[in-house]
Amino acid sequence: MPVVLGSGEHRYGVVENWAKLPDGWEFRDVAAVAVDSKDQVYVFNRGEHPMMVFDRDGNFLRSWGEGLFRRAHGIHIDADDNLYCTDDGDHTVRKCTTEGKVLLTIGVPEVPAPFMSGKPFNRCTHTALSPRGDIYVSDGYGNACVHKYTPDGRHLMSWGTSGTGPGEFNLVHNIASDPDGWVYVADRENHRVQVFDGNGKYEAQWNNLHRPCALYCCNGAHGPRFIVGELGPGMPVNLKYLNLGPRLSVVDKTGQLLARLGGEDGPGTQAGRFLAPHGLAVDSRGDIYVGEVSYTNWPTSFPDIPMPRHVRSLQKLAKVA
């Protein structure tokens, strides 16, 4: 019997060894995941083949992006199955087809904006789209702001600065938008998600989260609900603390907790445990795909244990009826 995580209507069975990789291939860190209208799963990773595509049963279909991406970080897919691939290594967002043809590039490859200048981009992290197709980019490791663009890539505005107050960020790591146009920003090291209107006006924040890293908006009959991937402790002094993650949390649009998946006993490689949830996607049946930056995280979570040659960095959680 598979391990089941969650509670109530938010229960998921762990599907072990889901992805069937070609012989000799590996993911390394899986930074982000997306699912298209055919339930094909796009795995944006930091291995030799940056974009690997699978069917919902885990059968390998194709790869692309070799020689194009420097460091995979975020991926978002629109209603027309266009993929917005955020590369924090070369400071760009590329809009691509499902076969890897680049349709639009925002940012100048290999040319970062000055550190903390508020200008795009310095190690951008993720993208989201407004209901009308405007593009929001979280930016990121070398900035503390969000940028807004027209659908054709023209810069409209930016907001945010470093800090802990409303509209300020301490590592703006992920971003999502809902059908009403609200913008949700994972403010990772401030342990919160901030909520803005479409023009960057601060509206609210969700608390009681631990280093929110991944963020995914699910639209359903009850309105938007969100899955938040939370990292575990990152400092030696609290490394062994329990009930902090890594885990997934399901919340409503006000940030009210609906369910938690894992995280009670800290990080681990066993079924039902996580290392570093970094990217999330959900298919048409409600199954969750979790990308983890496991190789990057290992020395933090297990400083006294040599890292194995292969570490799991992608999980599928199948929704329990």
Side-chain angles (χ1 to χ4, degrees):
M1 294 292 292
V3 174
V4 175
L5 301 175
S7 59
E9 64 179 289
H10 305 287
R11 297 173 66 240
Y12 298 86
V14 178
V15 182
E16 297 193 64
N17 303 311
W18 171 78
K20 303 170 183 64
L21 288 166
D23 289 343
W25 288 35
E26 61 181 350
F27 293 127
R28 305 303 288 180
D29 283 335
V30 174
V33 193
V35 180
D36 70 12
S37 60
K38 300 176 182 177
D39 274 349
Q40 294 182 358
V41 182
Y42 297 78
V43 180
F44 198 28
N45 75 98
R46 296 173 186 166
E48 184 179 351
H49 307 281
M51 192 71 75
M52 296 192 211
V53 189
F54 300 82
D55 66 19
R56 73 175 318 275
D57 295 318
N59 298 305
F60 176 80
L61 300 177
R62 61 188 179 276
S63 75
W64 48 269
E66 293 85 353
L68 177 62
F69 299 110
R70 181 170 174 184
R71 188 175 186 268
H73 198 277
I75 186 172
H76 177 75
I77 192 164
D78 68 16
D80 298 318
D81 286 345
N82 296 305
L83 297 154
Y84 294 77
C85 305
T86 307
D87 185 334
D88 80 305
D90 79 347
H91 319 283
T92 61
V93 175
R94 292 182 177 90
K95 178 182 178 181
C96 301
T97 68
T98 54
E99 300 294 331
K101 179 182 178 182
V102 177
L103 303 175
L104 173 69
T105 299
I106 305 176
V108 182
E110 308 293 340
V111 181
F115 179 76
M116 288 295 167
S117 65
K119 298 179 180 179
F121 300 121
N122 192 312
R123 301 195 64 193
C124 45
T125 52
H126 205 82
T127 59
L129 299 183
S130 75
R132 56 176 283 177
D134 292 330
I135 304 165
Y136 298 101
V137 184
S138 53
D139 185 31
Y141 289 107
N143 256 323
C145 55
V146 173
H147 310 285
K148 183 178 180 180
Y149 292 83
T150 63
D152 61 358
R154 178 172 56 86
H155 183 247
L156 292 172
M157 62 173 296
S158 302
W159 76 86
T161 188
S162 177
T164 59
E168 298 175 345
F169 301 108
N170 182 9
L171 212 170
V172 50
H173 195 270
N174 211 309
I175 191 165
S177 183
D178 71 13
D180 294 323
W182 300 108
V183 180
Y184 304 80
V185 182
D187 187 8
R188 195 178 85 183
E189 301 305 322
N190 277 331
H191 301 279
R192 65 185 179 181
V193 169
Q194 295 195 62
V195 185
F196 302 89
D197 72 9
N199 292 311
K201 179 179 178 290
Y202 173 87
E203 297 288 344
Q205 68 182 41
W206 306 342
N207 299 308
N208 303 320
L209 298 166
H210 191 267
R211 303 180 69 205
C213 190
L215 183 61
Y216 186 86
C217 178
C218 311
N219 298 309
H222 302 290
R225 292 184 175 181
F226 298 81
I227 306 173
V228 184
E230 299 172 74
L231 298 182
M235 299 184 296
V237 69
N238 70 340
L239 199 58
K240 301 300 182 182
Y241 286 19
L242 302 181
N243 202 34
L244 291 175
R247 65 192 177 195
L248 305 186
S249 293
V250 183
V251 302
D252 66 16
K253 69 180 298 182
T254 69
Q256 181 69 35
L257 181 67
L258 303 175
R260 280 214 161 111
L261 283 62
E264 300 91 344
D265 300 317
T269 58
Q270 306 92 325
R273 295 173 78 170
F274 302 99
L275 287 172
H278 194 273
L280 297 168
V282 178
D283 69 15
S284 66
R285 302 189 194 184
D287 297 347
I288 304 173
Y289 301 86
V290 186
E292 302 188 70
V293 289
S294 302
Y295 293 87
T296 295
N297 170 263
W298 187 276
T300 298
S301 291
F302 304 106
D304 301 322
I305 301 175
M307 185 167 60
R309 174 65 183 85
H310 296 286
V311 184
R312 182 191 63 219
S313 57
L314 177 68
Q315 295 197 62
K316 178 175 179 173
L317 308 178
K319 189 171 179 60
V320 176

